[in-house]
Amino acid sequence: MIEGHGDDSYKYQRPITANFSSNVYSKVDLSALKAHLCTRIDAIGNYPEPEPYTLESRLAAGYHLPADAVCVTNGAIEAIYLIAQTFRGTNTAILQPTFSEYADACRMHGHRVTSLYQLPAPEEDEYLLPEDIRMLWLCNPNNPTGTVVDKEYLRELIKHNSQVCFIIDQSYEYFTLQPLFTPKEAAEYPNVLLLHSMTKRYAVPGLRLGYITGGAGLLSRLRTHRMPWSVNQLAIEAGLHLLRQDVPNPLDVPACLKETARLHDALERLGSLEVWTTETHFMLVRLRFGRAAALKEYLANEHGILIRDASNFEGLDEQFFRIATQTPEENDRLVQAIRQWLES
């Protein structure tokens, strides 16, 4: 794991009162879940299921899939490393810039990693990926850019590259209005795995809860490498509770995206920032002058505001930072604080 992931507020003496650095939307009422977990706290005295069969079955039933088409993991991060381990030594391509753990996991397990900065064009390239590639990692919506690959284009890409295993990380699927693959649709392909994050959806990063969906053949191979008891009992209890209570997505996505657009425009009006277009609740920003690390230190130490220095994403430089939309009041604080830094 590289240094410099988001939510590093522990580094600062001044309390962080507005955290834009993490893509987990933190303004979520978790009181009902916390109350339920308190009633189940005695369960920590027993081992959980060696593999979380019950939670996998509940998820599968909700998607109208067989139970062996779902593999629950200790957050999406375990899914990433498990896939890299299972397909050790593969010729792998990663669409950049994106989450660094794909490359880290693949290199740890002997993959030959190639960075791609664009996908093949339908007309010129006929959707064909480089012929030596056997695995493609794609974050959709993508972290840190907030872009979404068109679903119909992605269908054609998969059809034209049957020799490639597509790993599509949909951890932010509940934070966009763009059409994405459903687990049932993806399971129809023998060469597609989808990654999902209950951590992101319900803002419970401390519980570490994710899952993979796909064809039973691919998931059977993954299970041969999964450690027993990798998902703890409270995480399983939380997942079952959220599914049993049919807890909806806790975020009003249309309202959040409207606020994201307002923040995007306010930052652009400052005149010294290049704000990338986004299709989710976070966005990538480039300083026209100055370093993102300097801006981050200023905001944290002078205003109690935390942003994500994005200079350690492959393909980005020291001028890039990422922010995730917060409340209107916090967003206005951020814009005003950046204005002061630019004018200083």
Side-chain angles (χ1 to χ4, degrees):
M1 176 179 283
I2 63 168
E3 282 289 324
H5 283 298
D7 206 12
D8 52 352
S9 57
Y10 58 87
K11 293 182 178 179
Y12 300 95
Q13 292 186 347
R14 175 170 180 157
I16 298 299
T17 55
N19 187 352
F20 292 82
S21 73
S22 170
N23 291 339
V24 175
Y25 185 78
S26 60
K27 307 300 189 296
V28 175
D29 181 6
L30 296 174
S31 56
L33 176 60
K34 291 176 181 178
H36 171 72
L37 292 180
C38 285
T39 69
R40 299 294 297 151
I41 195 65
D42 287 346
I44 67 172
N46 300 301
Y47 280 97
E49 295 171 340
E51 296 185 10
Y53 313 109
T54 304
L55 182 53
E56 288 174 348
S57 295
R58 296 280 178 85
L59 283 163
Y63 292 129
H64 305 289
L65 289 172
D68 58 2
V70 179
C71 178
V72 171
T73 56
N74 187 341
I77 198 71
E78 186 197 4
I80 293 167
Y81 280 80
L82 181 59
I83 292 167
Q85 178 187 8
T86 301
F87 299 98
R88 184 176 182 84
T90 301
N91 277 5
T92 291
I94 301 172
L95 186 63
Q96 302 282 5
T98 196
F99 188 42
S100 63
E101 297 298 333
Y102 308 142
D104 288 354
C106 288
R107 291 188 177 111
M108 177 183 290
H109 291 290
H111 291 233
R112 292 169 292 280
V113 178
T114 300
S115 291
L116 298 180
Y117 290 92
Q118 61 182 17
L119 292 172
E123 298 81 11
E124 296 89 345
D125 304 317
E126 298 180 341
Y127 296 99
L128 296 178
L129 289 162
E131 61 181 18
D132 61 330
I133 297 302
R134 292 298 177 266
M135 178 172 284
L136 175 68
W137 295 75
L138 177 70
C139 189
N140 202 40
N142 184 47
N143 172 25
T145 63
T147 53
V148 175
V149 177
D150 179 76
K151 181 178 177 179
E152 295 310 312
Y153 167 85
L154 201 48
R155 285 187 193 277
E156 293 300 320
L157 188 67
I158 293 167
K159 290 177 183 177
H160 282 79
N161 295 274
S162 59
Q163 79 284 6
V164 176
C165 182
F166 288 81
I167 314 300
I168 305 173
D169 185 350
Q170 294 192 173
S171 289
Y172 302 103
E173 62 195 322
Y174 291 100
F175 301 91
T176 185
L177 298 179
Q178 298 302 311
L180 302 172
F181 280 135
T182 66
K184 191 168 183 61
E185 288 174 327
E188 294 173 359
Y189 296 99
N191 60 330
V192 174
L193 292 172
L194 293 188
L195 276 55
H196 311 270
S197 175
M198 295 184 82
T199 290
K200 300 293 192 304
R201 181 179 182 181
Y202 296 109
V204 288
L207 285 176
R208 314 305 308 135
L209 193 55
Y211 55 100
I212 309 166
T213 58
L218 285 177
L219 289 182
S220 176
R221 294 182 65 181
L222 295 183
R223 286 190 173 92
T224 64
H225 293 90
R226 181 167 64 175
M227 291 189 303
W229 304 298
S230 69
V231 184
N232 73 77
Q233 186 62 39
L234 287 184
I236 293 172
E237 290 286 350
L240 292 172
H241 170 80
L242 292 167
L243 296 176
R244 186 166 52 244
Q245 301 301 317
D246 194 24
V247 175
N249 188 31
L251 179 65
D252 183 339
V253 175
C256 183
L257 294 183
K258 183 177 180 181
E259 178 61 19
T260 299
R262 188 185 75 87
L263 175 58
H264 177 284
D265 293 345
L267 289 170
E268 274 202 330
R269 286 196 294 272
L270 294 178
S272 298
L273 304 174
E274 177 188 332
V275 189
W276 288 28
T277 300
T278 182
E279 293 171 297
T280 186
H281 67 300
F282 54 85
M283 68 189 79
L284 191 62
V285 185
R286 179 179 176 273
L287 294 165
R288 297 190 190 282
F289 61 87
R291 296 168 56 247
L295 173 60
K296 177 181 177 179
E297 291 298 310
Y298 168 81
L299 292 174
N301 293 321
E302 300 299 325
H303 296 272
I305 295 173
L306 190 62
I307 62 172
R308 167 70 153 90
D309 177 359
S311 60
N312 59 355
F313 283 93
E314 183 169 338
L316 303 184
D317 61 27
E318 63 182 11
Q319 295 176 292
F320 283 91
F321 65 94
R322 188 198 67 202
I323 54 174
T325 302
Q326 301 302 317
T327 66
E329 295 75 20
E330 288 173 327
N331 295 336
D332 291 342
R333 277 181 59 198
L334 174 66
V335 173
Q336 181 58 28
I338 295 177
R339 177 183 288 111
Q340 292 177 17
W341 184 77
L342 291 171
E343 294 174 350
S344 63

